[in-house]
Amino acid sequence: MTVSTPDSSTPSHKENGSAQPLRFPVICIDGPSGAGKGTVTWRLAQALNYQLLDSGALYRIVGLKAFEAGLITEDASNVIDEAAVLALTQNLEISFVPNNESGRVDIIVNGEAVGEQVRNETVGGYASQIAVFPEVRQALLKLQKDMATRSGLVADGRDMGTVVFPNADVKVFLTASAEARADRRVTQLLAAGQEADFEAILTTIKARDERDENRATAPSKPAEDALLLDSSILDANAVYEQVKQHCQDQGICFNS
């Protein structure tokens, strides 16, 4: 995986209070899909000039490509060949390229832009199926850890602060009710000119939450030292300001 981002932050050695080899600062924003992680992660990365890691996109990419390869079907009860998914994962070339015009990260896989497909609600379900495979998670784990060796990093995911970066400088667990997240997704889809069924989306979100929270490998849960923040009735600016203040309290310096 290659990442097109600036390398301009100061190395840190904060590792549970003990001296460790220097590394760059890491901020983890964990929580379920639709809680607002992507927006706050983008704003933090822009404000701090850090790399951005959308870990959920990695699993969505694998899920999408596994579906295209016939390894995943529409029927979630079908058995998936983990070895075949692992082999597919190891041969993907992935780039995250910040797009200042859209305020999002363009996702390039094997030279092809797949951002719109990856953000599709159905592909989110494929990602959740892929995320239960330990060997696939291990293959993606190394890719994610390597990103913290090049510059400051803001990582968006479900287990960034518990599994991938347990010694991160800042950890936030951002959540929201399933109903609030479904409503946001409906708004997004309608704004994009797509059809949206609130009840169907709500059912999908609840099923995904159930899988993510109860999987045997790296279940989605807050780190013990994470800031817990419920965005159900908060707008994006309010969330960002609270997270920014928490980062500052933990020693992360903002220019403005």
Side-chain angles (χ1 to χ4, degrees):
M1 179 177 73
T2 59
V3 183
S4 177
T5 45
D7 293 339
S8 56
S9 51
T10 304
S12 167
H13 61 270
K14 178 183 174 184
E15 300 284 345
N16 290 335
S18 61
Q20 296 289 332
L22 289 180
R23 64 169 176 78
F24 291 93
V26 176
I27 299 171
C28 296
I29 310 294
D30 284 318
S33 176
K37 303 190 307 295
T39 299
V40 70
T41 297
W42 170 266
R43 291 187 63 179
L44 288 171
Q46 290 294 91
L48 293 164
N49 203 28
Y50 283 9
Q51 292 184 84
L52 185 155
L53 166 60
D54 181 351
S55 69
L58 292 177
Y59 290 95
R60 284 172 174 260
I61 289 165
V62 176
L64 172 65
K65 292 305 177 181
F67 175 74
E68 291 178 350
L71 301 175
I72 293 178
T73 67
E74 298 287 355
D75 186 352
S77 66
N78 287 342
V79 176
I80 301 172
D81 185 341
E82 181 178 357
V85 175
L86 176 61
L88 177 149
T89 301
Q90 293 171 331
N91 285 288
L92 293 176
E93 293 185 4
I94 304 169
S95 298
F96 292 131
V97 183
N99 186 323
N100 292 326
E101 291 186 6
S102 68
R104 306 180 80 171
V105 175
D106 292 336
I107 303 169
I108 312 299
V109 180
N110 296 341
E112 175 190 5
V114 298
E116 292 307 312
Q117 300 100 299
V118 164
R119 296 182 180 99
N120 180 282
E121 197 68 23
T122 301
V123 173
Y126 300 156
S128 190
Q129 294 179 61
I130 291 300
V132 303
F133 294 142
E135 289 190 33
V136 173
R137 296 189 68 87
Q138 193 63 33
L140 293 175
L141 179 64
K142 183 178 184 303
L143 295 178
Q144 295 171 82
K145 284 182 175 293
D146 285 348
M147 291 185 67
T149 66
R150 295 191 290 273
S151 79
L153 179 68
V154 188
D156 164 347
R158 287 173 173 74
D159 61 357
M160 296 295 97
T162 54
V163 176
V164 184
F165 302 109
N167 296 315
D169 300 79
V170 176
K171 301 176 188 176
V172 175
F173 193 87
L174 183 62
T175 190
S177 68
E179 290 74 15
R181 289 182 282 139
D183 187 60
R184 291 169 186 170
R185 184 58 179 162
V186 167
T187 300
Q188 290 174 344
L189 290 172
L190 293 177
Q194 301 180 41
E195 295 184 359
D197 182 326
F198 176 84
E199 292 300 329
I201 291 173
L202 179 61
T203 298
T204 298
I205 286 174
K206 288 182 175 179
R208 189 184 308 165
D209 287 350
E210 176 70 18
R211 284 196 299 269
D212 291 343
E213 293 169 8
N214 295 288
R215 65 194 181 209
T217 302
S220 177
K221 64 179 182 179
E224 291 183 1
D225 53 347
L227 169 70
L228 304 182
L229 188 57
D230 189 327
S231 71
S232 298
I233 58 173
L234 298 175
D235 64 20
N237 284 331
V239 170
Y240 174 73
E241 290 300 329
Q242 289 195 42
V243 174
K244 177 181 176 181
Q245 184 60 58
H246 181 61
C247 289
Q248 291 174 321
D249 291 344
Q250 301 303 309
I252 302 293
C253 296
F254 289 71
N255 292 326
S256 60

